[in-house]
Amino acid sequence: MSTTTTIETISKPNIGVFTNPENKLWVQETVPNVDSLKKSKGEDLPEGWVTVAIKSTGICGSDVHFWHKGAIGPMIVTDNHILGHESAGVVIAAHPSVNHLKAGDRVAIEPGLICNSCEACLTGRYNGCEKMRFLSTPPVDGLLRRYVNHPAIWCHKIDSMSYEQGALLEPLSVALAGMERSGVALGDSVLICGAGPIGLITLLCCQAAGACPIVITDIDEGRLKYATQLCPRVRTYKVDPSLSPPDAATQIIKSANGTKPAVALECTGVESSVANAIYSVKFGGKVFVIGVGKPDMTVPFMRLSTQEIDLQFQYRYCNTWPRAIRLVQDGVVDLGKLVTHRFDIEEAVKAFETAGDVKSGAIKVMIRSEPFKTYGHEAKASLLGGQPVDKQYQPYAGGYHHRQGISPGPAGGGHFTKIMYRPNSPWTWAFAGVTFVQAAIVLAFEAYAFGKFQSNLRGDATSQEPSRTIPTFLALYIFGFLYQLLLVYDALRLKNTIQVIGLGLYNVGLLIYAAVQMDQIQEAIDLLADHNDIDRSVWDDERPYLIAIPCIIGLGTVLMAIIAWKLYDEFAWTIYKHISADLRMKRRYLTFQIYIALLKFDFFFFLGFTIQFVVVVVDHHNIEFYLTIAAIPVTIIILVMAGLFTRKENTPGMIATI
């Protein structure tokens, strides 16, 4: 017999995520209410039912569709409606008739409630139940709430599996049903259309099944890059909407080195994508449609007919959950990398906005019914690489070192060897190349201007203030460009998009400086010429080079901006690996990177302009001169301490520094 003792303290109200026919989305209290849950010992539940405290729920594309459109085919939102059907949690109470579950058991919830009497149910294909009540499909409320009552038979034990992995068993079940019915086998050539959550999970299943080659298509380059991180051997094809299905099929087959797919698993439900799949598969092949599309669709019938292509469809799943649990528990399929964003249930509206925004880069958005818990020094430990208090939630994947893409040194110090970073893609090489060529040309021109200027000085002109103008600019440019190259190396090594963008702004500063130096050098030559300390014709020789310098830097800035955009696209998905998927971690990471970048750039501009002031000023008895000299080490110490406090995430220190 099951125990009816409630393990978890019920304190917070039971809130759910609602939509309605007006396409509004909000969070409010719902049933079962907290008072009834506190009073219940399980006996009040229907026979065979349990109460589950939901911990994690994934947002499905259908949830977003019900919110935005209010319907999927004949399934229409007609009243206030709770969304969500990808959930896992912990049993907090069970009816005495339940023998296999007890309070404290971790479970994943299969969201379909069947009649157990129709032909589909009796033959084991219960996804076709004529009286199916599928949670989150109108008018049946979904699982996106803190507490739900559910039949125990559809609550699958997940043991030590994380709640997020438990929630992802639902989309994994969709992929497994497609794999089983499509008959994908070891060595089959497979095409997967769509790199959304279902497409990516299907990719993981095909990889585990030994399919090869595998080609995945999508209209979004970022998702295709993410697919290659999940499965390095997958071939990708970015869909060109301007191509006809036959032409698109030619490119898809080319991506597989000429091998036509034996099976196409279509995961979008988009008409053009289905057509692309039909034209891609070989004679006698199969196009298996997992995705959900519009009610009526046109397909290339004669292509199907003359090539004897089987066109087959899927509706949800059946008998897949035990298999899905085994695959995850044994590590055959790793679902953890699919989660890109996490929100607390109170932030559900923002979570849905993120899931519905193609620009957000979201793959799978998770909603947690309880916030991430850390206390005191342990909260810091989770951020810097230690273990969080609550082992269920681990949004911080290794702290600063991991976020930066480097390995922390051994605990006791010691010697270790690290291979020096080299650019590893066309765009990283391009960025490094542009900045290096720019620095080389500008410094060569500055060196020529310096040599020409110095060689034409007469008498004791070197003791006069105007004669220091060009040496000052040359020294600053040498320091500025060498420091820029150092920052370029640092940004590319760390895949730091913020710093890459900052380097473009840094270049704008050098451009302004180049424009200013023309006027300064001309004025210096005129002053020296008035005292017959230099020939005024020197300016005519200097001017072409001084004009060329801002032109070169301007061109470099434009090229850097273009390449920075490409690097943003290239680095975007890598960042997710370094900082995990927690939204709050992303915000803190962004703040950290901006702050550190500002410190790096501030170091150059402060030191550069201070040196310029000290070198150019003649009156060494002025109090401002000595204050400026004293400010140099003080400011350097402040900058170093600011960086140190930021890396240590020492809030009092950061506030004091500011």
Side-chain angles (χ1 to χ4, degrees):
M1 295 294 290
S2 168
T3 178
T4 59
T5 303
T6 300
I7 300 296
E8 184 163 308
T9 301
I10 301 172
S11 56
K12 294 187 177 182
N14 188 16
I15 55 176
V17 182
F18 288 79
T19 188
N20 64 11
E22 288 74 44
N23 308 118
K24 295 180 180 178
L25 191 74
W26 72 98
V27 178
Q28 72 174 41
E29 288 195 33
T30 185
V31 293
N33 62 65
V34 172
D35 290 337
S36 66
L37 292 173
K38 288 180 177 178
K39 294 175 183 177
S40 173
K41 298 298 182 181
E43 294 89 345
D44 298 336
L45 291 169
E47 185 176 343
W49 284 52
V50 295
T51 300
V52 179
I54 301 297
K55 298 299 184 182
S56 293
T57 301
I59 297 179
C60 177
S62 64
D63 294 319
V64 176
H65 205 82
F66 279 130
W67 166 39
H68 283 167
K69 303 296 183 181
I72 297 178
M75 299 167 282
I76 302 170
V77 176
T78 58
D79 201 349
N80 292 350
H81 177 66
I82 300 176
L83 298 165
H85 57 267
E86 303 176 3
S87 298
V90 59
V91 174
I92 60 174
H95 187 272
S97 61
V98 177
N99 296 313
H100 70 288
L101 291 177
K102 63 182 184 300
D105 285 343
R106 301 156 66 90
V107 295
I109 300 176
E110 186 169 351
L113 307 180
I114 63 175
C115 72
N116 277 311
S117 59
C118 68
E119 180 181 350
C121 289
L122 295 175
T123 57
R125 298 185 64 182
Y126 58 81
N127 55 317
C129 175
E130 298 171 359
K131 299 178 182 179
M132 168 73 77
R133 299 176 66 247
F134 194 89
L135 276 64
S136 84
T137 298
V140 185
D141 282 332
L143 295 169
L144 245 175
R145 34 187 159 168
R146 281 206 175 99
Y147 307 103
V148 296
N149 296 327
H150 201 71
I153 193 173
W154 302 120
C155 295
H156 303 273
K157 280 188 180 182
I158 58 174
D159 297 327
S160 60
M161 188 188 301
S162 74
Y163 293 122
E164 282 191 353
Q165 289 175 320
L168 289 168
L169 292 175
E170 200 278 340
L172 176 56
S173 287
V174 174
L176 288 180
M179 293 288 291
E180 180 180 6
R181 296 192 60 233
S182 65
V184 173
L186 183 69
D188 277 349
S189 54
V190 173
L191 166 65
I192 300 170
C193 299
I198 297 298
L200 293 173
I201 294 176
T202 301
L203 169 63
L204 292 174
C205 291
C206 287
Q207 175 182 234
C212 65
I214 308 172
V215 176
I216 191 167
T217 69
D218 203 278
I219 60 173
D220 184 82
E221 185 70 34
R223 290 197 167 193
L224 293 177
K225 289 180 179 178
Y226 199 67
T228 61
Q229 293 181 9
L230 292 176
C231 176
R233 65 182 177 89
V234 71
R235 326 288 178 85
T236 62
Y237 169 68
K238 183 178 180 181
V239 175
D240 183 352
S242 66
L243 293 182
S244 65
D247 291 338
T250 300
Q251 296 302 315
I252 290 170
I253 295 167
K254 184 178 179 181
S255 300
N257 293 333
T259 302
K260 290 185 176 182
V263 180
L265 298 167
E266 210 296 314
C267 300
T268 71
V270 176
E271 183 175 308
S272 59
S273 183
V274 174
N276 291 347
I278 291 171
Y279 277 96
S280 297
V281 297
K282 68 180 184 180
F283 183 89
K286 177 182 288 188
V287 174
F288 190 87
V289 182
I290 299 173
V292 177
K294 59 186 181 180
D296 298 301
M297 185 182 296
T298 300
V299 296
F301 175 82
M302 286 309 298
R303 174 70 181 182
L304 291 166
S305 175
T306 59
Q307 295 297 302
E308 292 190 2
I309 296 169
D310 293 336
L311 180 60
Q312 198 171 350
F313 298 87
Q314 172 179 333
Y315 186 58
R316 296 179 181 148
Y317 42 75
C318 63
N319 306 308
T320 54
W321 289 69
R323 196 149 39 110
I325 291 170
R326 292 195 300 271
L327 289 170
V328 174
Q329 285 180 333
D330 285 358
V332 178
V333 176
D334 180 9
L335 301 175
K337 297 177 182 178
L338 294 169
V339 181
T340 54
H341 297 74
R342 294 180 177 92
F343 296 84
D344 295 332
I345 192 168
E346 292 86 353
E347 302 175 300
V349 174
K350 190 180 296 183
F352 270 79
E353 289 171 348
T354 302
D357 182 5
V358 295
K359 297 180 181 179
S360 70
I363 297 295
K364 177 58 69 174
V365 177
M366 278 284 169
I367 293 180
R368 304 177 301 200
S369 298
E370 291 185 354
F372 175 67
K373 301 175 182 177
T374 53
Y375 303 95
H377 69 281
E378 291 168 319
K380 186 188 299 179
S382 69
L383 183 60
L384 298 178
Q387 292 297 320
V389 177
D390 184 348
K391 294 183 180 180
Q392 157 57 24
Y393 295 123
Q394 300 189 33
Y396 307 136
Y400 170 77
H401 289 89
H402 187 69
R403 295 200 305 272
Q404 295 300 316
I406 58 178
S407 300
H415 176 75
F416 66 97
T417 302
K418 184 174 177 64
I419 299 175
M420 185 174 180
Y421 167 81
R422 290 189 305 169
N424 52 12
S425 73
W427 292 115
T428 52
W429 275 112
F431 196 79
V434 166
T435 51
F436 179 81
V437 171
Q438 171 189 261
I441 295 175
V442 170
L443 290 178
F445 284 4
E446 283 285 337
Y448 172 82
F450 170 76
K452 190 73 175 177
F453 182 82
Q454 291 295 115
S455 63
N456 281 276
L457 290 175
R458 305 188 186 110
D460 63 345
T462 54
S463 63
Q464 299 183 38
E465 181 180 341
S467 67
R468 304 179 190 180
T469 303
I470 287 186
T472 301
F473 280 113
L474 177 63
L476 285 173
Y477 267 120
I478 292 174
F479 174 62
F481 279 112
L482 291 178
Y483 190 64
Q484 184 185 47
L485 293 175
L486 176 64
L487 293 182
V488 167
Y489 174 83
D490 184 59
L492 297 180
R493 178 179 66 88
L494 301 180
K495 301 185 184 299
N496 188 334
T497 310
I498 299 296
Q499 194 165 312
V500 167
I501 296 171
L503 283 164
L505 299 176
Y506 181 104
N507 224 52
V508 173
L510 293 176
L511 173 62
I512 295 172
Y513 207 55
V516 170
Q517 81 164 344
M518 288 184 58
D519 180 65
Q520 295 290 315
I521 291 174
Q522 183 180 13
E523 182 180 345
I525 291 175
D526 287 341
L527 288 172
L528 290 169
D530 290 342
H531 294 84
N532 201 32
D533 290 325
I534 197 171
D535 192 335
R536 203 178 297 273
S537 64
V538 170
W539 170 246
D540 296 328
D541 294 332
E542 301 264 356
R543 183 168 53 185
Y545 295 94
L546 297 177
I547 292 175
I549 288 172
C551 295
I552 293 167
I553 297 177
L555 176 61
T557 303
V558 172
L559 294 175
M560 288 172 70
I562 295 171
I563 299 170
W565 175 253
K566 296 294 184 180
L567 290 176
Y568 172 81
D569 184 48
E570 181 176 319
F571 292 166
W573 291 106
T574 305
I575 294 300
Y576 286 132
K577 292 194 303 181
H578 293 333
I579 63 174
S580 182
D582 189 84
L583 181 66
R584 287 168 294 182
M585 187 67 253
K586 287 183 174 64
R587 290 171 180 164
R588 296 178 73 175
Y589 178 79
L590 181 63
T591 303
F592 170 86
Q593 290 292 9
I594 292 174
Y595 189 59
I596 288 294
L598 287 174
L599 290 176
K600 292 174 181 176
F601 296 130
D602 189 48
F603 174 75
F604 162 70
F605 286 109
F606 167 77
L607 196 60
F609 286 116
T610 302
I611 291 173
Q612 178 183 354
F613 176 82
V614 171
V615 171
V616 172
V617 172
V618 176
D619 186 4
H620 289 185
H621 300 291
N622 193 308
I623 187 64
E624 293 182 5
F625 176 83
Y626 292 105
L627 287 175
T628 304
I629 291 292
I632 295 176
V634 172
T635 304
I636 292 175
I637 291 172
I638 291 174
L639 291 172
V640 171
M641 293 303 295
L644 180 63
F645 285 137
T646 305
R647 287 174 179 263
K648 296 292 185 181
E649 301 185 14
N650 186 310
T651 303
M654 293 171 66
I655 293 173
T657 303
I658 292 173

